[in-house]
Structures are given as structure tokens and as C-alpha cells.
Amino acid sequence: MSKKVFDMVDLETIDALAEMVKEKHLDEITIADGEQVITIKGKKCPPPPPAGGMPMPPRFHEGGMMPPIENAPMQSPAQAANSQSEFSGNIVKSPIVGTFYSSPSPEKPPFVTEGARVKKGDVLMIIESMKLMNEVQSEFDGTVEKILVQNGEAVEFDQPIMIIK
């Protein structure tokens, strides 16, 4: 004979009820006998996102909130390839998908500007990805000829960011 819990239900019945909660994806089942209550709770799943998708959380940076990203048209891979052929020099590409920032914080000056001399190892930009700020260093010595993206713009992996001659 199986042991009863609160002299109301045996453990085998509780196991069967727990299995029913799991199989039918129920939130819970409650059995009460006077003041004795047994509740079996299932795993709660988060509610589905609203039809418009999840709202974007505010973006933070070393100095506080970042300015909103402007709605800039994205380049197709073909457009990016064409823009690469338009420039000569060393093309600095984004090493990851993320957001391009030209300075360490909104109040600070950019790491580099067009016409600036850079050496191998100098920080050129920050790419924010998954809330991490990734400094991108120059692989070349030379002069920044052209910066191809705007501050706060989303960038793709391997997208050209700037030209160094």
C-alpha cells in the first residue's frame, strides 16, 4: 500500500497528476480537502512576444545612453562589392555584426577622422555586439582616406568600414 500525503492522496496519484500537468502543458493542478491543499505546478513558459516583435532595450555605452540609430538604407552584398571596387587602398572591414561607433563615448572625439594618419595597432572604431564594446585596431600604416559608415550605423560581418592608403 502506498503512503498517503495528508491522508488524502497517495504518491502514485501525485506522480500521475504531475505527468498530466507536464503532458497537457498546464500551469498547475490543486487538490484540496478542507484545509489540506496540494498544488502541483508545471513549468511556466514566457508569454509569446507581441505581434510587433520585442521592443528594443535602450543602448548604453561607457558614458551613458547612446544616441538613437538613424534609419539608414542597408547595402546589399552586390552594392558593398561595387563600393569596394570604387576605392583603392587597404579596406578595413567589420570583423563582426554590430553597431559602428567612431568614438569611445558620445562626449569624446572620434578615434580617427578622414585624413588622419594611423599606425598598425591604433584603435580605429568600436563595434558594439551583444552589449560588448569591441575595439577594432588598424592592421595598416597610412592615412584614413574615407569612412564609409555613419556613427551609430548597423554593420554586417565583412562590410567595408573605411579605406586606409
Side-chain angles (χ1 to χ4, degrees), residues 3-156:
K3 181 178 177 178
K4 292 199 176 212
V5 178
F6 293 136
D7 294 326
M8 2 177 338
V9 183
D10 60 34
L11 293 176
E12 291 163 355
T13 303
I14 291 175
D15 285 341
L17 290 170
E19 190 63 32
M20 183 186 307
V21 167
K22 180 180 174 184
E23 286 176 4
K24 298 197 182 279
H25 305 288
L26 301 174
D27 289 336
E28 64 183 46
I29 289 180
T30 300
I31 300 171
D33 183 17
E35 291 184 25
Q36 299 174 338
V37 178
I38 297 174
T39 299
I40 302 169
K41 294 187 177 191
K43 288 185 180 179
K44 291 204 178 205
C45 295
M54 297 296 289
M56 291 299 292
R59 299 177 317 119
F60 292 93
H61 196 264
E62 289 176 13
M65 291 277 291
M66 293 299 293
I69 297 173
E70 299 297 323
N71 288 333
M74 295 293 290
Q75 281 190 330
S76 71
Q79 290 170 326
N82 288 339
S83 67
Q84 284 182 20
S85 62
E86 293 174 15
F87 299 106
S88 62
N90 297 309
I91 300 172
V92 178
K93 297 179 181 179
S94 177
I96 54 178
V97 173
T99 304
F100 167 81
Y101 295 113
S102 60
S103 64
S105 71
E107 303 82 34
K108 304 257 174 140
F111 291 109
V112 297
T113 56
E114 290 180 2
R117 296 270 316 144
V118 295
K119 295 181 205 166
K120 186 175 183 176
D122 287 351
V123 176
L124 300 174
M125 69 193 89
I126 289 176
I127 303 291
E128 177 189 7
S129 181
M130 297 181 67
K131 307 248 186 245
L132 293 175
M133 302 299 169
N134 302 282
E135 289 185 345
V136 178
Q137 298 176 343
S138 179
E139 297 177 12
F140 317 103
D141 292 334
T143 303
V144 177
E145 180 182 313
K146 184 85 174 146
I147 299 175
L148 306 171
V149 294
Q150 298 295 317
N151 192 46
E153 188 175 321
V155 294
E156 298 293 323

